[in-house]
Amino acid sequence: MQISTYIRALFGVFAVACALVPAAHATTLTASERSVLAAVNDVREAHQLRPLGVDPALVRAARAHSTTLMARDVFTHGALGERLAEYGVRGPVYGENLAWGTGSRATAASIVQGWMASSGHRANLLRPGWTRIGIGRRVGTFLGHGGATVVTADFAGH
């Protein structure tokens, strides 16, 4: 009797673990997304700001937006607040940086360098109140350029 109870308990733990793996994987950053995060946090550290933590809801929203931009062949923020709310993102303040490029202009370092060269994007990167980030990076044909990279970085905090 004890062995069957043990087996059922073990099976239950295994089932729960299997159910959690897809959810965890869905919000784990890819290697290229981690590169963008590292570049963002390097810039923040250089300006004595705390690093940003990954927010799963922001990751889902950022990935979906990059996918939409690429699929529709458009480059726009759209209704940021409404879009983030659809993914359950909590504020109270939000921001977003977008980038796209090909070749050397598609690297994490180049993207963040471009953001730093733009006053609005720079302000987003260096906002002290941000605590969380989601990054979505997609590669494909964009605006007639094959092998293009589209990146969305969604920020939240206060």
Side-chain angles (χ1 to χ4, degrees):
M1 192 74 148
Q2 288 180 337
I3 291 177
S4 66
T5 302
Y6 174 76
I7 291 172
R8 276 185 284 196
L10 186 58
F11 179 75
V13 168
F14 179 75
V16 169
C18 288
L20 293 177
V21 168
H25 178 70
T27 56
T28 300
L29 295 181
T30 65
S32 59
E33 291 166 343
R34 283 192 309 272
S35 294
V36 175
L37 175 63
V40 165
N41 281 335
D42 285 349
V43 165
R44 289 180 61 83
E45 182 181 340
H47 289 84
Q48 290 78 49
L49 296 168
R50 68 179 162 207
L52 301 176
V54 176
D55 180 301
L58 285 169
V59 171
R60 289 189 299 274
R63 284 180 177 164
H65 193 57
S66 288
T67 299
T68 297
L69 294 177
M70 190 161 277
R72 294 184 181 166
D73 222 18
V74 298
F75 196 65
T76 181
H77 293 283
L80 177 62
E82 290 175 25
R83 183 165 31 91
L84 294 181
E86 289 176 19
Y87 288 89
V89 175
R90 306 282 181 245
V93 180
Y94 313 106
E96 181 173 77
N97 283 359
L98 301 176
W100 81 273
T102 60
S104 64
R105 292 186 178 191
T107 66
S110 179
I111 288 166
V112 173
Q113 184 179 28
W115 286 338
M116 288 298 287
S118 162
S119 62
H121 294 99
R122 180 184 176 93
N124 263 347
L125 285 177
L126 301 180
R127 184 181 175 101
W130 294 147
T131 56
R132 299 165 298 157
I133 190 171
I135 299 165
R137 182 181 180 276
R138 295 293 183 251
V139 177
T141 300
F142 185 66
L143 300 176
H145 298 273
T149 296
V150 174
V151 176
T152 301
D154 288 332
F155 305 92
H158 57 276

